[in-house]
Amino acid sequence: MSTHIPDDPGASGPGDECLLLVHTRQVVGQVRYRVCTDCAQGVITAVVIDERFHSTGLGTRALSHLRSRHPGLTWRSTLSKRTTRDLLRRMRIPTTTSATPCHHALQTLPAPAGPIRVSG
């Protein structure tokens, strides 16, 4: 399930979005990200997956879903923890120091069309 996060205090800024990872009607993880369609760039700011789903391919499937949901975007990430770093290396997503993909992201971004479920 993907959603726009309007005023989430845990979000890194306006325009953050969250892909919820759902398994048998239970949220088992999430991917937080920002996109700029003007520059065709996306930044992954968080990947959290319940420990019981580590090494199951759920992270790979979630990032593959993001790529298919936002075709044509160049993805980067701000993550540096070993487990996420390994996932991003496998997915060929380079690291960046900024959670803001570009200067357009400082403006208010429109909400996505609607939720999408990703089941594991």
Side-chain angles (χ1 to χ4, degrees):
M1 177 177 287
S2 183
T3 184
H4 176 71
I5 307 170
D7 292 318
D8 182 3
S12 61
D16 281 6
E17 296 190 40
C18 182
L19 175 68
L20 296 178
L21 311 178
V22 179
H23 177 72
T24 58
R25 292 191 269 182
Q26 180 182 14
V27 175
V28 296
Q30 63 178 283
V31 178
R32 289 183 181 247
Y33 63 98
R34 302 188 64 148
V35 296
C36 177
T37 53
D38 292 335
C39 293
Q41 295 183 40
V43 177
I44 298 167
T45 57
V47 176
V48 179
I49 299 174
D50 284 359
E51 190 170 336
R52 64 189 167 145
F53 289 97
H54 289 192
S55 302
T56 63
L58 184 58
T60 301
R61 288 188 0 228
L63 296 183
S64 294
H65 176 75
L66 264 186
R67 283 182 167 160
S68 69
R69 177 139 195 243
H70 301 282
L73 291 187
T74 300
W75 288 94
R76 295 178 291 140
S77 174
T78 59
L79 306 175
S80 60
K81 290 183 181 175
R82 187 180 58 80
T83 52
T84 21
R85 190 178 59 231
D86 293 344
L87 169 64
L88 296 167
R89 187 178 306 126
R90 282 193 308 275
M91 296 296 294
R92 297 178 186 205
I93 297 174
T95 339
T96 184
T97 55
S98 173
T100 305
C102 65
H103 69 280
H104 298 108
L106 299 174
Q107 302 167 12
T108 304
L109 299 176
I116 293 180
R117 292 193 179 271
V118 177
S119 299

